[in-house]
Amino acid sequence: MAEILVYVDHVDGAVRKPTLELLTLARRIGEPVAVALGNGAADTAAVLGEHGAVRVLTAEAAEFADYLVVPKVEALQAAYEAVSPAAVLVPSSAENKEIAARLAVRIGSGIITDAVDLEAGAEGPVATQSAFAASYTTKSRVSKGTPVITVKPNSAPVEAAPAAGAVEALAVTFSEKAHGTKVTSRTARESTGRPELTEAAIVVSGGRGVNGAENFAIIEALADSLGAAVGASRAAVDAGWYPHSNQVGQTGKSVSPQLYIAAGISGAIQHRAGMQTSKTIVAINKDAEAPIFDLVDYGVVGDLFDVVPVLTQEVQARKG
Amino acid sequence: MSLRIVVCVKYVPDATGDRKFADDLTVDREDVDGLLSELDEYAVEQALQIAEEADDAEVTVLTVGPEDARDALRKALSMGADKAVHVDDESIHGSDVMATSLVLAKAIEKTGYDLVIAGMASTDGTMGVLPAILAERLGVPQVTLLSEVKVEDGKVTGRRDGDTASEQLEASLPAVVSVTDQSGEARYPSFKGIMAAKKKPVEELELDDLGLDEGEVGLEGSWTAVDSADERPARTAGTIVKDEGEGGKQLAEFLASQKFI
Ligand SMILES: Cc1cc2nc3c(=O)[nH]c(=O)nc-3n(C[C@H](O)[C@H](O)[C@H](O)COP(=O)(O)OP(=O)(O)OC[C@H]3O[C@@H](n4cnc5c(N)ncnc54)[C@H](O)[C@@H]3O)c2cc1C
Ligand SMILES: Cc1cc2nc3c(=O)[nH]c(=O)nc-3n(C[C@H](O)[C@H](O)[C@H](O)COP(=O)(O)OP(=O)(O)OC[C@H]3O[C@@H](n4cnc5c(N)ncnc54)[C@H](O)[C@@H]3O)c2cc1C
């Protein structure tokens, strides 16, 4: 069977969920071979094997952390040359998309970004994309070279599919280009203990209606009762009430959870661009005319300061 | 020595309008107003600020797009850019990111540059990869997705706020930079700026001028193909209740019925 290269997103060996989803999609079109780079790369093998990776190619080098993007491109290119895969799949994130795109140029292949589904087609993999703030669904394919496709989180279920997951060291030599952009310092983001925004099954977001940084506590309380991630509109972020890393929308994170709850958010097109593919959408807004209500499965016209605390209490009571 | 800055700006259909695909599955530009991609205003702004800090700098705005794309250039010129380059050639219609980036790279090389600045993503294709591809094609460092940028002594430095960490980056010029909407509000064109823009030069280029062949661009020269584009059925109208004291409870009821709690 054709081999499919799957780029692994991991933090010090802990594989992030979108990579496991990607293995599900990869198995639809071939046999997954995973590529894990950087600190803890080999530690990823067990979980990747459980989810269908036949082989896990690993490389560790200081370059991956010390220089931006290009060292990873060169390692992925080395893996590509070693495997000659039928496709290269990469979990979408800002950096991963850049890695995928530069690889595509180097191997003379077309690229599709932010696919939300993938299936085998007569002329290679067919990707579903969501366009214009999810008002269109398109089907595309790569017509030249080996398809390079990045896939959005929450696009496929995580499925166990035991495979060998045999670790093999990948030989990489870096070119001068790899040292072009130095990372002179790095400050890790503090973990909140909540699920990662893009990966969460439930997201609770607050907007301008939350009216103050301190009031985000009620959004967080609801999120915690549901085991959800916390999001924010750009208005809330620009006002300094919540960190930019939690912004949902065109210039923030794109989320696609099972449940999205918007509190005090009007539903501007740029916000919708980042959440409109959510399975179930709920809004709480005191303005019955707010555009967000056009999208909802369930909406409450009311003051979020009344509705949210009651909801949180109810959730806690029901969960016992 | 003068600092040559080229800013890539895209002409896009207005996101607040009714965006559609045309019959050939490219973006319909007939029925919806176009404008300078709002995220590219941030790129123009940073270019102008870098130019203001430099002893001697020139800011050229560059677009690949149809005739109307001149509007995007005019806007950037009225913000304060010095001159513009417009690559307009019928055969470019329908280009994917590989074809578009090829045209841009050739135009940038022809114009001459020390620094290329782009937006973080267009507001229509929203791929967010074009700047990285340009760096690859031009063979210069990429210093992308910056929320802060500075150019000094032949070096560009900046802050990149990633998924798990915030990074401080550094590269030597020439380089390709992209900036996010966190980099600082873009200025509004002044009346004086708008008047001055009318007199600023706009260079028109076609494929021939760039040494490119028709077969390398457009639907034909693209490395991806769109097979279908379907409008999403409007979401079926949901239940909307007015909170008269029971809103929170009713919502909890709904969430329970959907097995979220
Ligand atoms: C290029 C560009 C990129 C952008 N990117 C993004 C992005 O990534 N994400 C994003 O979110 N936005 C983005 N925006 C901004 C976007 O256009 C909107 O301005 C923003 O989403 C508005 O945020 P909001 O809904 O919180 O605020 P508003 O539009 O002001 O809405 C606040 C809502 O809260 C309601 N409300 C007020 N008080 C209460 C209360 N007590 N109880 C209940 N409801 C209440 C109001 O009725 C109103 O509907 C972008 C804009 C541009 C131009
Ligand atoms: C809905 C949709 C989906 C698409 N999906 C794909 C896909 O999966 N694969 C593919 O190969 N192509 C795709 N395209 C085509 C692609 O958008 C265009 O080729 C485009 O010019 C480059 O990508 P982008 O606009 O997404 O750029 P981005 O990478 O999002 O843009 C970043 C920056 O590059 C600069 N830039 C981009 N285009 C131009 C331009 N024409 N002139 C000047 N500067 C520019 C701007 O500074 C911009 O801010 C898609 C187009 C649409 C409308």
Side-chain angles (χ1 to χ4, degrees):
Chain A
M1 205 170 11
E3 292 185 305
I4 307 297
L5 214 53
V6 173
Y7 181 76
V8 177
D9 210 344
H10 71 99
V11 179
D12 297 331
V15 178
R16 295 176 66 176
K17 188 163 142 267
T19 301
L20 302 180
E21 297 166 7
L22 213 50
L23 289 169
T24 301
L25 294 176
R27 293 200 310 275
R28 289 189 195 160
I29 54 176
E31 198 164 67
V33 174
V35 183
L37 307 176
N39 191 28
D43 300 342
T44 62
V47 66
L48 295 171
E50 279 163 34
H51 294 87
V54 180
R55 298 193 277 154
V56 181
L57 311 182
T58 63
E60 290 202 33
E63 271 86 353
F64 297 130
D66 294 349
Y67 298 90
L68 192 71
V69 172
V70 188
K72 292 173 184 160
V73 176
E74 299 198 339
L76 190 55
Q77 187 181 4
Y80 169 83
E81 281 158 8
V83 174
S84 301
V88 181
L89 303 184
V90 177
S92 282
S93 72
E95 176 173 318
N96 290 353
K97 284 199 281 188
E98 294 186 325
I99 294 168
R102 293 190 70 144
L103 174 77
V105 178
R106 288 187 178 202
I107 65 175
S109 296
I111 178 168
I112 290 172
T113 56
D114 295 319
V116 296
D117 203 0
L118 202 62
E119 63 208 339
E123 293 160 278
V126 175
T128 305
Q129 283 170 293
S130 175
F132 298 153
S135 59
Y136 273 86
T137 301
T138 62
K139 298 226 185 233
S140 322
R141 70 204 143 72
V142 168
S143 51
K144 182 167 180 276
T146 303
V148 176
I149 301 173
T150 84
V151 179
K152 272 180 43 164
N154 288 330
S155 295
V158 173
E159 289 167 2
V167 178
E168 295 168 34
L170 176 71
V172 191
T173 43
F174 298 107
S175 76
E176 205 183 306
K177 295 244 156 61
H179 302 124
T181 309
K182 236 186 266 163
V183 179
T184 51
S185 73
R186 176 177 288 118
T187 318
R189 180 152 294 131
E190 268 177 57
S191 165
T192 59
R194 296 194 178 90
E196 177 62 34
L197 186 54
T198 54
E199 301 169 15
I202 304 180
V203 174
V204 181
S205 288
R208 202 193 305 270
V210 174
N211 200 24
E214 61 294 349
N215 298 336
F216 256 86
I218 72 165
I219 301 293
E220 291 179 330
L222 174 57
D224 292 343
S225 74
L226 290 163
V230 176
S233 73
R234 174 157 158 193
V237 167
D238 282 354
W241 303 340
Y242 224 66
H244 179 252
S245 49
N246 295 70
Q247 183 178 312
V248 171
Q250 181 169 47
T251 55
K253 299 269 166 64
S254 169
V255 301
S256 210
Q258 295 297 322
L259 172 65
Y260 188 81
I261 303 180
I265 293 178
S266 61
I269 186 78
Q270 296 88 354
H271 187 78
R272 281 155 50 178
M275 49 65 76
Q276 204 156 344
T277 52
S278 305
K279 306 291 178 301
T280 299
I281 298 175
V282 166
I284 302 152
N285 195 305
K286 63 182 180 186
D287 175 10
E289 303 294 314
I292 190 86
F293 285 124
D294 297 342
L295 303 181
V296 299
D297 296 283
Y298 199 93
V300 180
V301 179
D303 194 315
L304 72 91
F305 294 101
D306 297 331
V307 178
V308 174
V310 174
L311 176 60
T312 307
Q313 243 173 24
E314 284 288 318
V315 174
Q316 280 164 347
R318 281 165 195 261
K319 287 202 163 165
Chain B
M1 239 269 288
S2 158
L3 178 71
R4 297 163 302 167
I5 307 174
V6 177
V7 191
C8 297
V9 299
K10 191 179 184 188
Y11 178 73
V12 297
D14 188 345
T16 60
D18 196 9
R19 293 179 295 179
K20 287 202 202 64
F21 283 93
D23 292 341
D24 66 352
L25 305 180
T26 64
V27 178
D28 176 7
R29 296 172 181 275
E30 298 291 309
D31 295 332
V32 58
D33 289 338
L35 43 72
L36 167 62
S37 177
E38 279 157 314
L39 294 171
D40 293 345
E41 290 181 17
Y42 295 90
V44 175
E45 177 62 38
Q46 290 309 313
L48 295 174
Q49 286 190 22
I50 290 165
E52 282 156 12
E53 290 285 312
D55 293 338
D56 177 17
E58 183 177 58
V59 177
T60 307
V61 287
L62 163 66
T63 197
V64 172
E67 197 181 332
D68 296 348
R70 258 178 179 254
D71 288 359
L73 296 175
R74 284 285 165 221
K75 170 92 186 257
L77 289 173
S78 62
M79 288 171 72
D82 300 301
K83 62 189 181 71
V85 175
H86 181 191
V87 187
D88 178 10
D89 194 306
E90 240 168 69
S91 48
I92 295 173
H93 171 82
S95 293
D96 70 351
V97 76
M98 288 306 174
T100 305
S101 60
L102 178 65
V103 178
L104 280 168
K106 293 282 182 198
I108 290 164
E109 275 166 348
K110 184 177 163 73
T111 304
Y113 70 101
D114 301 297
L115 182 64
V116 176
I117 307 188
M120 63 184 286
S122 70
T123 60
D124 60 346
T126 66
M127 295 181 74
V129 298
L130 197 128
I133 294 178
L134 274 183
E136 179 69 40
R137 288 199 184 280
L138 296 169
V140 303
Q142 80 170 69
V143 198
T144 49
L145 298 172
L146 302 182
S147 44
E148 262 171 31
V149 56
K150 209 178 177 142
V151 173
E152 236 172 19
D153 306 326
K155 276 200 171 73
V156 47
T157 53
R159 193 182 84 236
R160 168 166 163 131
D161 295 319
D163 250 5
T164 54
S166 182
E167 296 164 331
Q168 208 64 45
L169 304 178
E170 181 187 296
S172 300
L173 297 183
V176 175
V177 160
S178 77
V179 298
T180 74
D181 60 334
Q182 300 290 300
S183 60
E185 273 310 304
R187 67 193 66 185
Y188 287 105
S190 62
F191 178 70
K192 211 174 119 212
I194 293 168
M195 295 315 286
K198 295 190 170 145
K199 298 200 191 83
K200 289 178 180 171
V202 178
E203 185 184 4
E204 295 278 348
L205 297 176
E206 295 185 356
L207 277 193
D208 275 352
D209 304 313
L210 300 175
L212 285 171
D213 189 78
E214 267 182 33
E216 294 174 277
V217 298
L219 289 168
E220 186 121 334
S222 285
W223 298 358
T224 54
V226 182
D227 290 330
S228 67
D230 298 309
E231 205 161 353
R232 254 188 172 218
R235 291 181 83 104
T236 43
T239 309
I240 296 185
V241 300
K242 195 166 172 354
D243 177 40
E244 271 152 354
E246 297 292 306
K249 286 208 172 93
Q250 288 166 297
L251 185 45
E253 206 52 60
F254 169 77
L255 295 181
S257 75
Q258 302 293 309
K259 309 246 182 312
F260 288 117
I261 41 179

